[in-house]
């Protein structure tokens, strides 16, 4: 916690209250209102937490006006270009880029935890084949606490460490198994002799009937997509993981809660919805019709993959994703992808439209990701599971930070009550 430097004065009901101002290393100052209710007898009111800091953190910082994203101080575009996902996982978990020896040890520890308990395979068979892979992931991850009892005690630092490694290591296996189950193909075991992204691609696309060669272009693109989704401050799913963890629930249950929250189309489900929207538009000549619908308050249609609570400029992840889309499609020999053409023209027209400009609505991480994922062979139903497996390290890093914080206490918001005041029960005969 930063030292208290300044105070703000609140005048209320003839009294003046001093509210400490906490200054961050980056971003806006914070009004410390922790004693407001006990001193002034009032709550603050902020549905959706548009102006509320729920915690302090040293992991990720977003400058929404500049469109900048830092992980432990390192800009996302540098990490996407120069690093790789497991190194970014180490950075998020431990705060510094690893030495070569530390990275090798970390990657080896993750590799040794990629397999899933054999009895958990039976869980998948309880789902209908047409289940959404996210439904399967919520169920299977939540059930992990029933199989990994030796890493559920959150008060034991060693068990926290093992749970962290297990989650990062097993999420690709679980996501790939969810996919294989829904397409009626046998599960493919992870291998210890290939890298994290290649393992995921092989577990998704290999079949026993033939050898599977990982395409290095796809593996590098997959790893970059993992990195771009790794962490993002106190977004809805991370806040869900923190709130669930604040009650002392086991890490697997808390990550399952984060997966459930991420699934929503306003959050991680937007990548699936964005590609489906682009396909519905179909051709550039239909863009004006859909832009009009997005602006029509009576029409529930929104431009999925556009807008962000924090970014009021280009989402830096979307910039990298857009470059990657061009590269991957070109390297895959996908000439003139019609959906990519619609996406680029849609972005161009939206960013020239006052409605979007005035509201500072720019493409976010979900706008281009689906185009790459589809070109890689994934169905839209696998887009959010891929987001979930990528974000697991962010959820876990934020969870570890919170559990290790001596200020940590159960999260319990208050409310602005607008319901009935006390009244007496009336018997049914007199109603
Ligand atoms: C992610 O928080 C994170 O960091 C999330 C994330 C992460 O990495 O964890 O970045 C990942 O979830 C990205 C966002 C993915 N969601 C979408 O792409 C869905 C479409 N976007 C919107 O639903 C919306 O922009 C949100 C949910 C992302 C943000 O919503 P806010 O901040 O609550 O903004 P708002 O709904 O109050 O919108 C402000 C105005 C409104 O118009 P007015 O009432 O002022 O006239 O902008 C309009 C909205 O109607 N608006 C849109 C729009 N997004 C906002 N209009 C049309 N299309 C859109 N996409």
């Amino acid at each position: 916690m930063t030292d208290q430097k300044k105070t703000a004065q609140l005048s209320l009901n003839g009294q003046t209250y001093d509210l400490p101002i906490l200054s961050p290393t980056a971003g806006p100052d914070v009004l410390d209102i922790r004693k407001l209710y006990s001193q002034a007898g009032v709550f603050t009111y902020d549905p959706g937490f548009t102006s509320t800091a729920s915690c302090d953190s040293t992991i990720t910082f977003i400058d929404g006006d500049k469109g900048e994203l830092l992980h432990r101080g390192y800009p996302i575009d540098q990490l996407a270009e120069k690093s790789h996902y497991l190194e970014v996982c180490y950075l998020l978990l431990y705060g510094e880029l690893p030495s070569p020896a530390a990275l090798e040890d970390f990657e080896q520890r993750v590799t040794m935890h990629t397999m899933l308990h054999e009895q958990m395979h039976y869980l998948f068979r309880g789902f209908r084949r047409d289940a959404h892979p996210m439904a399967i992931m919520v169920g299977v991850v939540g059930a992990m606490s029933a199989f990994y009892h030796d890493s559920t005690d959150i008060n034991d630092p060693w068990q926290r460490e093992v749970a962290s490694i297990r989650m990062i290591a097993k999420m690709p296996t679980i996501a790939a198994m969810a996919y294989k189950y829904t397409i009626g193909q046998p599960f493919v075991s992870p291998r210890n002799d290939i890298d994290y992204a290649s393992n995921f691609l092989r577990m998704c696309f290999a079949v026993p009937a033939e050898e599977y060669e990982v395409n290095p272009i796809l593996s590098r693109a997959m790893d970059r997509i993992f990195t771009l989704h790794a962490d993002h401050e106190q977004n809805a799913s991370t806040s869900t993981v923190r709130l669930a963890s604040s009650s002392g629930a086991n890490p697997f249950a808390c990550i399952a809660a984060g997966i459930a929250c991420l699934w929503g189309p306003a959050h991680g489900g937007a990548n699936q919805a964005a590609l489906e929207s682009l396909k519905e538009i179909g051709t550039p000549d239909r863009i004006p019709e859909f832009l009009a619908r997005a602006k029509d308050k009576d029409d529930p249609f929104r431009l999925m993959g556009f807008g962000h609570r924090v970014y009021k400029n280009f989402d830096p992840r979307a910039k990298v994703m857009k470059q990657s889309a061009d590269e991957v499609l070109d390297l895959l020999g996908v000439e003139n992808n019609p959906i990519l053409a619609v996406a680029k023209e849609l972005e161009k027209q939206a960013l020239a439209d006052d409605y979007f400009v005035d509201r500072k609505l720019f493409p976010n991480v979900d706008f281009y990701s689906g185009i790459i994922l589809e070109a890689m062979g994934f169905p839209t139903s696998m887009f959010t599971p891929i987001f979930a497996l990528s974000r697991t390290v962010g959820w876990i890093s934020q969870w570890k930070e919170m559990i290790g914080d001596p200020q940590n206490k159960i999260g319990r918001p208050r409310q602005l009550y607008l319901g009935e005041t006390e009244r007496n029960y009336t018997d049914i005969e007199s109603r």
Side-chain angles (χ1 to χ4, degrees):
M1 179 61 73
T2 57
D3 299 332
Q4 171 189 327
K5 294 192 184 97
K6 306 167 281 186
T7 60
Q9 273 72 43
L10 172 69
S11 296
L12 187 68
N13 304 327
Q15 298 269 343
T16 301
Y17 303 94
D18 285 345
L19 298 178
I21 295 174
L22 307 179
S23 295
T25 49
D29 279 350
V30 171
L31 278 186
D32 183 347
I33 58 166
R34 284 174 290 180
K35 296 193 173 104
L36 181 65
Y37 179 57
S38 62
Q39 291 176 350
V42 294
F43 296 149
T44 58
Y45 181 65
D46 186 15
F49 311 117
T50 53
S51 303
T52 296
S54 60
C55 62
D56 54 71
S57 181
T58 61
I59 299 172
T60 292
F61 176 72
I62 301 169
D63 185 322
D65 294 328
K66 293 180 185 170
E68 289 175 358
L69 167 59
L70 307 179
H71 289 316
R72 303 287 191 179
Y74 296 98
I76 188 63
D77 49 332
Q78 290 184 29
L79 293 172
E81 183 192 341
K82 298 175 179 178
S83 185
H84 64 277
Y85 181 68
L86 283 187
E87 183 177 74
V88 172
C89 287
Y90 184 100
L91 175 65
L92 290 170
L93 284 168
Y94 306 116
E96 296 295 339
L97 290 171
S99 66
L103 179 60
E104 185 181 353
D105 169 67
F106 180 74
E107 293 185 337
Q108 179 63 9
R109 283 192 288 145
V110 171
T111 299
M112 290 300 117
H113 283 281
T114 52
M115 290 176 67
L116 197 63
H117 191 294
E118 191 64 15
Q119 269 189 271
M120 293 200 80
H121 292 204
Y122 300 112
L123 278 176
F124 290 80
R125 308 204 188 289
F127 291 92
R128 279 178 38 152
R129 288 286 181 180
D130 59 355
H132 193 292
M134 285 296 279
I136 299 173
M137 288 186 76
V138 171
V140 172
V141 172
M144 287 177 74
S145 57
F147 289 82
Y148 296 101
H149 301 110
D150 59 345
S151 58
T152 52
D153 178 0
I154 63 169
N155 299 307
D156 176 346
W158 173 245
Q159 291 199 35
R160 292 205 297 267
E161 180 69 13
V162 172
S164 304
I165 297 295
R166 275 181 168 148
M167 287 303 330
I168 293 165
K170 296 181 194 306
M171 284 296 270
T173 309
I174 293 167
M177 290 170 76
Y179 172 54
K180 283 301 202 187
Y181 182 71
T182 59
I183 60 173
Q185 288 187 0
F187 298 144
V188 175
S189 169
R191 293 184 59 88
N192 293 349
D193 58 353
I194 55 178
D195 65 79
Y196 191 89
S198 300
N199 235 332
F200 178 64
L201 291 172
R202 186 177 171 280
M203 288 189 285
C204 286
F205 298 127
V207 289
E210 59 189 29
E211 285 308 309
Y212 178 80
E213 282 300 312
V214 177
N215 179 331
I217 298 160
L218 298 189
S219 175
R220 178 63 190 138
M222 188 80 266
D223 188 272
R224 183 178 293 164
I225 287 175
F226 291 163
T227 294
L228 291 172
H229 290 83
D231 189 48
H232 214 237
E233 286 191 2
Q234 307 311 317
N235 58 83
S237 53
T238 298
S239 299
T240 300
V241 171
R242 279 183 174 257
L243 194 57
S245 307
S246 71
S247 74
N250 75 73
F252 305 113
C254 297
I255 297 301
I259 296 171
C261 177
L262 185 77
W263 193 1
H267 191 14
N271 51 20
Q272 174 172 346
L275 191 74
E276 288 163 353
S277 288
L278 291 170
K279 288 186 170 179
E280 188 185 357
I281 294 169
T283 52
D285 63 304
R286 296 192 65 201
I287 288 173
E289 168 198 341
F290 282 84
L291 284 180
R293 286 187 57 194
K295 298 188 284 188
D296 178 357
K297 294 303 173 200
D298 298 325
D299 188 327
F301 177 80
R302 278 201 164 182
L303 215 47
M304 303 310 279
F306 251 78
H308 199 277
R309 172 62 58 76
V310 177
Y311 289 121
K312 301 310 171 189
N313 198 324
F314 236 97
D315 180 334
R317 302 168 298 174
K319 281 184 182 174
V320 178
M321 205 71 85
K322 182 177 178 182
Q323 290 161 9
S324 197
D326 281 326
E327 287 165 17
V328 171
L329 295 179
D330 183 45
L331 291 166
L332 289 175
V334 178
E335 301 279 326
N336 310 316
N337 178 301
I339 299 302
L340 181 58
V342 169
K344 288 183 173 178
E345 181 58 24
L346 179 60
E347 173 195 324
K348 184 179 165 194
Q349 292 190 26
L351 297 186
D353 185 303
D354 288 345
Y355 175 93
F356 293 89
V357 174
D358 295 348
R359 291 167 178 78
K360 298 184 179 180
L361 302 176
F362 289 84
N364 59 51
V365 69
D366 296 309
F367 189 63
Y368 286 103
S369 57
I371 293 167
I372 304 173
L373 293 172
E374 184 176 65
M376 295 172 78
F378 291 104
T380 53
S381 62
M382 277 301 289
F383 292 4
T384 308
I386 288 169
F387 194 150
L389 83 81
S390 309
R391 183 54 57 88
T392 295
V393 66
W395 291 330
I396 284 288
S397 302
Q398 302 267 353
W399 165 76
K400 282 183 71 176
E401 180 176 68
M402 191 192 88
I403 297 292
D405 180 350
Q407 286 194 95
N408 175 32
K409 58 172 65 174
I410 192 166
R412 205 281 186 209
R414 305 305 298 269
Q415 62 177 10
L416 169 64
Y417 178 67
L418 299 175
E420 296 285 345
T421 53
E422 186 175 342
R423 53 182 172 164
N424 294 320
Y425 181 84
T426 49
D427 295 331
I428 195 158
E429 295 77 18
S430 55
R431 284 181 220 150

